[in-house]
């Protein structure tokens, strides 16, 4: 969301596999409210297989990152999906040391990057608010 924190966070958690994870919740749904969008994070340790996808619904269509290599697009009014292969990341993003080196050399500007400090502070605020919301059952407003 271009470096912007959500307006509010709501969350529910469950302990589904008590015998496997006896001391923690193993399933969470987090709802993020933005001025012009809603984000839903579904996090779980209890799914039968690893799921690492992302879906974005817009006014004119839908896009899903099925995995790190495949994108699926459907435009409004069309019956079929278009499949695209995701572009390979630049070598500088291939590992943390290459990334850090490029930042220190001024080769890249990490301002709105997913690994930037400002972005990670927003992530920490979201997770803290989600934990509070799950405990209290109430929506948490971020400031």
């Amino acid at each position: 969301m271009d470096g912007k924190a959500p307006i509010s966070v709501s969350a529910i958690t469950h302990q589904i596999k008590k015998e496997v994870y006896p001391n923690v919740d193993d399933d969470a749904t987090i709802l993020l409210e933005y001025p012009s969008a809603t984000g839903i994070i579904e996090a779980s340790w209890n799914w039968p297989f690893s799921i690492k996808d992302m879906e974005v619904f817009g006014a004119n269509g839908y896009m899903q990152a099925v995995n790190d290599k495949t994108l699926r697009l459907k435009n409004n009014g069309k019956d079929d999906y278009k499949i695209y292969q995701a572009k390979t990341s630049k070598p500088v993003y291939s590992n943390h040391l290459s990334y850090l080196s490029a930042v220190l050399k001024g080769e890249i500007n990490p301002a709105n990057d997913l690994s930037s400090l400002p972005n990670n502070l927003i992530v920490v605020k979201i997770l803290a608010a989600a934990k509070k919301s799950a405990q209290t059952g109430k929506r948490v407003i971020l400031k």
Side-chain angles (χ1 to χ4, degrees):
M1 297 303 287
D2 226 10
K4 304 266 188 304
I7 296 167
S8 70
V9 177
S10 301
I12 56 170
T13 58
H14 296 284
Q15 187 184 36
I16 295 174
K17 290 186 177 176
K18 295 176 178 151
E19 67 287 350
V20 179
Y21 306 108
N23 300 316
V24 296
D25 291 319
D26 57 6
D27 188 82
T29 302
I30 304 169
L31 184 66
L32 307 176
E33 177 190 352
Y34 289 90
S36 61
T38 301
I40 302 170
I41 300 168
E42 295 180 281
S44 183
W45 295 340
N46 69 40
W47 292 334
F49 53 88
S50 178
I51 298 172
K52 304 286 185 201
D53 72 338
M54 182 171 91
E55 298 174 79
V56 177
F57 295 85
N60 299 311
Y62 157 84
M63 182 171 275
Q64 177 188 25
V66 177
N67 54 42
D68 63 335
K69 301 195 181 345
T70 307
L71 302 173
R72 190 168 81 143
L73 172 75
K74 183 170 171 106
N75 287 314
N76 191 20
K78 305 282 183 176
D79 290 333
D80 60 331
Y81 287 89
K82 292 186 180 181
I83 305 294
Y84 297 92
Q85 294 306 306
K87 294 179 183 176
T88 304
S89 297
K90 295 177 185 175
V92 71
Y93 296 103
S94 66
N95 67 64
H96 62 288
L97 295 176
S98 297
Y99 178 82
L100 178 60
S101 176
V103 170
L104 293 174
K105 292 177 183 174
E107 295 171 353
I108 60 172
N109 179 359
N112 269 343
D113 205 271
L114 292 177
S115 60
S116 70
L117 179 59
N119 186 71
N120 278 277
L121 290 173
I122 292 170
V123 170
V124 169
K125 285 180 186 177
I126 290 170
L127 292 176
K131 184 177 176 182
K132 183 177 180 182
S133 174
Q135 289 169 340
T136 65
K138 296 182 179 178
R139 176 175 168 243
V140 175
I141 307 292
L142 296 184
K143 296 178 184 184

